Amino acid sequence: MQIFLQQFVNGLTIGAGYALVAVGFTLIFGVLRVVYLAHSAVLVVGAYLGLFALDWSGSIPLALALGTVGAALMGLVVERVALRPVAGQNHLISLVTTVSIATVIQETLRLSVQHGQPISYPTGAAAVLLRFHLGGIELHLTVGQLAVMVVTLVLVVALTLLVQRTWMGRSIRAVADNPTIAAMLGVRVKAVSAQTVAVASALAGAAGVLLGLTLPAIDPYVGEHLQFKALAVVLFGGLGSVPGAVLGGLLLGLVEALAAGYLETSYRDLFAFAAMVLILTFRPAGLLGRRPVERV
Amino acid sequence: MGTGSLEAFATIQLIYLIAALGHYMPLSMKQLDVGIAGYFALGAYVSALLTRDWGVPFELALLAGTLAGALGAVVVDALATRVRLAGFAYAIFSLSFAEALRIILNNVSAVGGSGGLVGIPAHTTLPLVAGLALVILVGFWLFDRARLGQLKTAIGDDELIVPVMGVPLVATKLTIFAMGGGLGGLAGGLYSHYVLFIRPDDFGFALLISLQLPIVFGGLDRFYGAVAGILILGCVPEMVRGLADYRLLFMGAATLAVLAVRPSGLITHATVATVKRWLGLPSGGAPRRAVTGVPAPTVATAAGPLVVDGICVRFGGIAALDGVGMTIPTTPGISAVIGPNGAGKTTFFNVLTGLIRPQAGQIRLEGRDLVGLRPDQVFKARIARTFQGVRLFSHLCVYRNVMLAARSATPDGALARARAERALAAAGLDQAAWGLPPDRLTLLDRRLVEIARGLAARPVVLLLDEPAAGLNSAEKERLGALLGHLAEAFACRIVIVEHDMKLVMSIAETVWVMNFGRVLSHGTPEEIRNDPAVIEAYLGSEAAHA
């Protein structure tokens, strides 16, 4: 029971991270309908900015703020440079332009910050171990892990409110539903696309800082494997579905942590892909996907 | 740069070129299989293990690696096709395969785990790689001229109608995927026997980037775009002193810059056409010699009519076809299916050609039930069709469009050529137009090419979906006269769906009227014109009673 609960909590933290990245991905897929692979690069920009902020001030909230805002701005640059010029081209072109800009961003970081060597976040507040007593069971949680859960919860709630309750959110949903009709009704599709990438990138930036707080070290390519898993989550959660991405991310984190706690296996990185193949075989639209994946 | 390092550089770049050409295969077919790093890894590991641990000769091991890459591609693509993934879901799926393979290799201690394989025997040499690359390039040049290469182009242009041309789509795509995966596996085998030490992380995302950016940068329209891409993006940073560390940065920036200006890459169809015009070369594809002595068709009409009975198609709660029955003669002549918009005419054609499987009903031709056959099998049963609007393969010339269908109907290449030439000539298309891309023709001529494409397959029934839409009255008259002549000359029954009543009434022997998914009435044009039920369907009940 002790192990189970502890792994459950650990799994929630890992899953929260997946969810945060996957939510942004699914938002971009749903609204812009492009293959977007620059998310890991934007995340890393957030992680490095958080690192600088933390080195400079020691304040975790400031690091989060800087990472989030900086990544959102980076997202705007990515949209302008890699997506807008090739709007309307087939999926391969956006895949290649986003991979290209991601390469440029990551290589620039590698060449300019300590030759790409892994850098640790300053150990301090984030590593402090908290103990919780729950009916005789003691659970351990670092401040960093707690931050991951709290920040993810806050951001997902904020995103849901933004999408469901604001005018911008309404425009985003309209474009996701049908860009042509949205444009005819006066929605500025290009602006909405840019806003969507910025919002998704902000989430990735926050995820980057949180990753820095929980991982031993970060490097320019630290987001790459996370990006692959988040893509699998997006696909089996249901392409374009925000609740699907959150659910998928949390489930994946839990399964990975529980498996690691009991099975002592290093294969847990495979779960994301196995789940994707299994779920898509039986539910091609994913767990919470509504429409068919894409009309041929 | 010393001679040794120059040799190493050239060898590696040529290996990358082979792998990039493998990746080019699915991408140029507009299929987002981006699992090339995985197929490369399969080839590298399989061949290395065979030579190192099992004493298998290098040549055999290389072949096994090639097959492993091909098999990997077939498994990934068969699975993705089965789940009906399209567009970006397909990309993510194939990307995940490569990533999952990397994770597995990292964990299997029998193949060295994350430490990788060491002590792979050295077999790969520059002359070997250069020779293979040359053979492969010649192979690509021939492939573009072969039927399979043209099928690849056709699938990239308009995948949905390829099966209606008598081509088994899934098998064709998997063959091309296998060729791409096989080249990836071959490159992997050459790689492992050159570098002699491989780790799973050598085959990660960076490898995909090194292969993919150059070929998209160079342009996917022609295989030499891939060659140009590898030459420029792969070689330049290595040749300029001090730029090696900036290799990926250079690749990313250059690709972004080129795609922003030229989204189709450096070398496009248009570039090739321009260069050929400068050099005074023919645009290729069509036969150069004048057609002489094309044999007249051997008239072989079907025994008995095409009998359609009780066809039902429901989309959700809507009955698009509700018990449609028709007996379509296969004697030479023209019939028509008319009806208001939404009556189910095109759905009916889609059922007849196997694109939609009906929930109930039969379609019998020569004692055989066609329901449940794939479109390419229906085509082989000699039912051909055209589409609403015009759907020609835009990157095949007029002649190759027609040949595509003719060649599906007969294994005899000379016979197919004769049939294609005769169909084009009979449709009144000037030989000067045969080598042109379809979008250079007028609407009427494009329609005629589509009709010729159907006729070249020597069908017993040719279905034309709105052949006169968008034509002016002079063109309609010309088309009407031509259709009557073609039905006789090719001994086939032409069935048209058409809204132009004047045309229908002047050329059709028999007319079926459909409304709300049912056959409302059937008879000669004269009978139809006076049928109160038909007048009601078109004009409303008041007009009928007036």
Side-chain angles (χ1 to χ4, degrees):
Chain A
M1 197 62 194
Q2 162 84 45
I3 301 177
F4 177 81
L5 275 182
Q6 182 64 52
Q7 289 300 333
F8 191 84
V9 171
N10 290 351
L12 278 183
T13 355
I14 302 171
Y18 293 153
L20 209 48
V21 180
V23 162
F25 253 136
T26 212
L27 209 58
I28 293 175
F29 287 139
V31 177
L32 282 82
R33 293 153 205 253
V34 292
V35 188
Y36 181 82
L37 292 181
H39 222 45
S40 60
V42 170
L43 178 144
V44 164
V45 168
Y48 273 84
L49 286 174
L51 174 76
F52 301 148
L54 216 50
D55 272 341
W56 176 65
S57 71
S59 154
I60 294 180
L62 186 72
L64 274 168
L66 191 65
T68 308
V69 173
L73 293 175
M74 192 72 239
L76 285 176
V77 173
V78 171
E79 196 274 337
R80 191 68 195 79
V81 175
L83 292 179
R84 203 174 291 186
V86 298
Q89 299 289 331
N90 70 45
H91 287 316
L92 177 65
I93 303 305
S94 66
L95 186 154
V96 170
T97 51
T98 52
V99 165
S100 298
I101 195 159
T103 306
V104 170
I105 294 169
Q106 286 162 332
E107 284 294 290
T108 307
L109 277 173
R110 180 178 73 83
L111 293 162
S112 58
V113 185
Q114 295 191 14
H115 307 291
Q117 292 305 309
I119 311 176
S120 298
Y121 267 42
T123 46
V128 172
L129 204 60
L130 305 175
R131 289 162 214 278
F132 294 93
H133 293 276
L134 213 99
I137 296 171
E138 195 182 75
L139 293 178
H140 298 251
L141 200 64
T142 64
V143 171
Q145 283 182 310
L146 191 66
V148 172
M149 286 203 269
V150 172
V151 170
T152 303
L153 186 68
V154 169
L155 286 179
V156 169
V157 169
L159 177 75
T160 310
L161 289 177
L162 176 85
V163 172
Q164 297 297 337
R165 296 286 168 83
T166 65
W167 188 256
M168 180 177 150
R170 193 174 297 182
S171 308
I172 288 178
R173 280 182 290 145
V175 175
D177 215 44
N178 190 326
T180 316
I181 292 178
M184 276 192 246
L185 294 176
V187 177
R188 287 158 61 225
V189 175
K190 278 182 191 169
V192 170
S193 301
Q195 287 163 2
T196 306
V197 178
V199 168
S201 301
L203 298 181
V209 179
L210 295 171
L211 207 61
L213 288 174
T214 43
L215 283 183
I218 58 164
D219 66 69
Y221 288 91
V222 73
E224 208 154 73
H225 304 316
L226 187 64
Q227 170 158 290
F228 283 121
K229 283 190 191 174
L231 283 170
V233 166
V234 164
L235 218 50
F236 74 67
L239 211 53
S241 160
V242 170
V246 175
L247 179 70
L250 289 178
L251 278 179
L252 180 63
L254 285 175
V255 170
E256 282 188 6
L258 292 176
Y262 286 105
L263 300 175
E264 203 61 53
T265 170
S266 47
Y267 277 115
R268 70 191 141 86
D269 288 338
L270 273 182
F271 284 135
F273 308 112
M276 179 183 74
V277 172
L278 267 180
I279 293 173
L280 287 187
T281 307
F282 296 105
R283 269 189 75 90
L287 288 177
L288 300 181
R290 283 175 298 124
R291 52 173 176 257
V293 175
E294 195 177 358
R295 256 181 229 142
V296 186
Chain B
M1 185 181 280
T3 48
S5 64
L6 183 66
E7 189 189 330
F9 163 72
T11 310
I12 292 292
Q13 290 304 320
L14 284 169
I15 290 173
Y16 274 4
L17 175 66
I18 294 172
L21 287 169
H23 192 30
Y24 167 85
M25 278 287 187
L27 295 190
S28 62
M29 194 164 58
K30 304 237 164 65
Q31 307 290 318
L32 280 180
D33 176 341
V34 290
I36 186 68
Y39 314 139
F40 191 98
L42 280 174
Y45 268 85
V46 166
S47 61
L49 286 167
L50 283 177
T51 52
R52 193 191 72 158
D53 298 352
W54 298 80
V56 173
F58 173 60
E59 292 76 14
L60 270 184
L62 205 53
L63 184 66
T66 308
L67 292 177
L71 189 68
V74 167
V75 168
V76 168
D77 292 300
L79 210 56
T81 309
R82 222 186 138 62
V83 186
R84 296 178 174 283
L85 295 180
F88 40 55
Y90 205 117
I92 296 171
F93 190 82
S94 53
L95 204 57
S96 301
F97 156 77
E99 175 69 2
L101 181 69
R102 194 187 61 79
I103 295 169
I104 292 173
L105 289 173
N106 260 320
N107 281 292
V108 178
S109 50
V111 297
S114 56
L117 285 183
V118 290
I120 303 167
H123 285 294
T124 303
T125 58
L126 179 58
L128 172 72
V129 177
L132 278 173
L134 192 65
V135 169
I136 289 166
L137 286 176
V138 172
F140 265 82
W141 190 82
L142 293 170
F143 182 73
D144 275 355
R145 278 144 191 82
R147 174 168 167 80
L148 194 56
Q150 285 165 35
L151 287 179
K152 177 168 74 77
T153 308
I155 291 169
D157 279 345
D158 195 347
E159 182 175 340
L160 278 183
I161 69 161
V162 167
V164 185
M165 303 298 131
V167 178
L169 180 65
V170 174
T172 307
K173 278 166 72 176
L174 287 182
T175 308
I176 293 167
F177 284 133
M179 294 170 81
L183 285 175
L186 173 66
L190 292 168
Y191 178 81
S192 60
H193 290 87
Y194 189 74
V195 298
L196 313 183
F197 163 51
I198 54 174
R199 287 174 313 145
D201 291 353
D202 294 343
F203 311 107
F205 201 55
L207 177 62
L208 174 67
I209 293 174
S210 309
L211 298 175
Q212 188 174 66
L213 299 198
I215 60 177
V216 178
F217 168 92
L220 290 168
D221 287 351
R222 291 290 198 284
F223 73 91
Y224 30 88
V227 181
I230 288 283
L231 269 178
I232 298 171
L233 288 196
C235 298
V236 166
E238 307 281 345
M239 291 189 297
V240 179
R241 190 176 294 275
L243 208 61
D245 199 32
Y246 298 83
R247 193 177 69 93
L248 284 175
L249 185 67
F250 171 76
M251 260 188 192
T255 308
L256 262 184
V258 164
L259 290 186
V261 192
R262 293 176 70 90
S264 296
L266 274 187
I267 298 175
T268 66
H269 291 297
T271 324
V272 176
T274 311
V275 170
K276 278 190 170 171
R277 213 173 314 125
W278 280 348
L279 298 175
L281 292 171
S283 51
R288 308 231 171 106
R289 282 172 292 110
V291 190
T292 49
V294 175
T298 45
V299 178
T301 45
L306 177 68
V307 182
V308 181
D309 187 27
I311 292 291
C312 294
V313 172
R314 262 177 292 277
F315 298 123
I318 301 158
L321 294 179
D322 188 10
V324 171
M326 290 183 193
T327 300
I328 300 168
T330 51
T331 49
I334 298 177
S335 299
V337 178
I338 63 171
N341 286 324
K345 304 180 299 290
T346 296
T347 306
F348 179 58
F349 272 17
N350 285 344
V351 169
L352 279 183
T353 46
L355 285 171
I356 294 176
R357 182 190 284 234
Q359 276 94 0
Q362 284 193 328
I363 301 167
R364 302 198 77 83
L365 182 66
E366 297 178 318
R368 183 167 168 220
D369 189 2
L370 305 183
V371 168
L373 296 187
R374 293 192 314 260
D376 56 293
Q377 294 168 323
V378 174
F379 175 94
K380 298 256 160 65
R382 303 214 292 155
I383 296 178
R385 73 171 291 184
T386 68
F387 295 86
Q388 232 176 73
V390 183
R391 289 175 81 167
L392 293 167
F393 302 110
S394 49
H395 293 113
L396 294 178
C397 70
V398 165
Y399 177 76
R400 281 180 171 168
N401 261 282
V402 177
M403 261 307 275
L404 192 88
R407 196 67 176 68
S408 303
T410 169
D412 180 347
L415 180 64
R417 275 194 295 281
R419 285 178 172 182
E421 289 174 8
R422 193 186 146 83
L424 278 165
L429 286 151
D430 188 59
Q431 213 182 333
W434 293 10
L436 294 177
D439 58 8
R440 296 268 301 275
L441 306 184
T442 64
L443 177 63
L444 175 62
D445 280 349
R446 274 182 280 145
R447 282 263 159 72
L448 294 177
V449 174
E450 215 189 0
I451 292 169
R453 188 171 65 181
L455 288 171
R458 291 301 151 87
V460 289
V461 177
L462 174 62
L463 309 169
L464 306 182
D465 200 345
E466 301 199 9
L471 301 182
N472 65 36
S473 55
E475 290 171 329
K476 279 179 186 168
E477 235 164 76
R478 197 184 136 198
L479 179 73
L482 187 67
L483 287 181
H485 163 71
L486 290 175
E488 289 301 327
F490 286 80
C492 72
R493 171 63 49 165
I494 295 180
V495 183
I496 63 172
V497 157
E498 189 46 68
H499 283 294
D500 186 312
M501 286 309 128
K502 200 174 144 211
L503 180 72
V504 168
M505 295 303 170
S506 67
I507 64 171
E509 291 164 17
T510 50
V511 178
W512 284 270
V513 185
M514 287 181 67
N515 199 16
F516 298 117
R518 294 163 190 257
V519 175
L520 199 65
S521 177
H522 155 234
T524 63
E526 195 55 37
E527 288 163 358
I528 293 300
R529 227 190 306 253
N530 299 317
D531 188 334
V534 176
I535 299 169
E536 186 180 327
Y538 270 87
L539 301 174
S541 58
E542 281 159 39
H545 296 295

